[in-house]
Amino acid sequence: MQMSRRWGSEGVMLLNLHAFVPLSVANGPGKRAVIWTQFCSLGCPGCFNPETHSATGGEWISIAELFQRIVVLKDQIEGITVSGGEPLQQRPAITELLRRVKTETFLSVILFTGFTWEEIKKMKDQKPEKTGSGEQKRIGEGPEVLSYIDVLITGRYEASQRLARDLRGSANKTIHFLTNRYTMADIQSVPHAEIIITPEGNMVMSGIDPLF
Ligand code: SF4
């Protein structure tokens, strides 16, 4: 199931955002901004982010504004991580955001999804991108968003296979290096969890094993 696109009053594409953290060290190699999307219908028993499941409750934000939140950090972070919720259930908006990140910055992109690699390869973009010559822009197997991701972590959370290591919450999840930006050693160097104190003084537990 994919959420329908939502547009702002001026015709700009919106993303349903659960949370944004400007600086994290437990969601991928190095310092990273983290985006949690709002909404997931995959229903993994034991999910540790149930507050992200509802289609309501998030902040509808334009891709341009979210991109600006990232751009102002570009000298402090080496990349962004997208998690959820289920990012690929807002694929048009995530594709637009990651396209801008990859074409306008040098930041790396890591994306967590509950979909399996086999499911993702079958996904079709609603509106294929066109090149200037009018030919369909295609980037290999699967949807366009794969072109803008360095590392993709795929698969449902399986509580019976809980792992909490190497950015995987359970052993069935698979890691896909879609570019040569990172190696398995980089992934293995990431701390399992962290506690972030927000500028507002709130405490946020984050990471693959958020002390749960
Ligand atoms: S895909 Fe992720 S957010 Fe969705 S239910 Fe599974 S673990 Fe939770």
Side-chain angles (χ1 to χ4, degrees):
M1 176 178 164
Q2 182 175 331
M3 287 180 80
S4 59
R5 300 175 193 212
R6 182 155 167 177
W7 305 88
S9 56
E10 296 174 8
V12 295
M13 191 181 293
L14 302 178
L15 177 95
N16 196 355
L17 177 69
H18 175 73
F20 178 85
V21 165
L23 199 61
S24 163
V25 295
N27 286 277
K31 295 175 181 171
R32 317 186 69 80
V34 186
I35 293 160
W36 285 274
T37 58
Q38 181 73 34
F39 180 64
C40 177
S41 66
L42 298 187
C44 308
C47 169
F48 45 73
N49 262 341
E51 67 278 10
T52 64
H53 293 179
S54 169
T56 59
E59 170 194 5
W60 285 99
I61 183 172
S62 74
I63 296 307
E65 183 183 340
L66 188 51
F67 180 67
Q68 280 310 312
R69 287 195 196 181
I70 294 166
V71 163
V72 297
L73 300 166
K74 68 179 172 41
D75 295 330
Q76 303 166 50
I77 58 175
E78 72 173 67
I80 68 165
T81 295
V82 183
S83 187
E86 177 45 63
L88 296 185
Q89 289 185 317
Q90 299 191 63
R91 207 168 69 247
I94 286 294
T95 301
E96 184 173 325
L97 176 69
L98 299 189
R99 183 192 305 127
R100 291 202 64 181
V101 169
K102 276 302 191 181
T103 56
E104 299 178 42
T105 78
F106 294 103
L107 297 172
S108 62
V109 173
I110 292 176
L111 188 140
F112 291 88
T113 174
F115 288 108
T116 65
W117 179 241
E118 294 306 315
E119 288 171 327
I120 294 166
K121 282 192 296 184
K122 291 178 190 156
M123 290 177 180
K124 301 224 182 314
D125 291 318
Q126 291 174 339
K127 262 190 178 177
E129 286 296 306
K130 302 285 184 181
T131 64
S133 63
E135 295 174 5
Q136 182 171 327
K137 180 184 175 188
R138 193 42 230 132
I139 329 95
E141 208 170 9
E144 180 190 354
V145 70
L146 297 182
S147 303
Y148 311 124
I149 297 171
D150 295 292
V151 182
L152 179 68
I153 294 105
T154 69
R156 310 287 193 277
Y157 172 65
E158 293 281 352
S160 63
Q161 299 184 56
R162 189 162 186 270
L163 185 68
R165 199 170 67 223
D166 306 337
L167 296 183
R168 292 188 300 156
S170 55
N172 60 297
K173 288 176 171 281
T174 53
I175 302 177
H176 305 266
F177 296 93
L178 304 185
T179 70
N180 59 9
R181 181 108 177 214
Y182 292 118
T183 65
M184 195 60 202
D186 296 318
I187 300 301
Q188 289 169 335
S189 72
V190 177
H192 296 171
E194 67 188 333
I195 296 176
I196 299 168
I197 308 295
T198 69
E200 297 77 30
N202 299 320
M203 191 172 74
V204 177
M205 287 183 283
S206 173
I208 203 63
D209 186 11
L211 310 182
F212 182 68

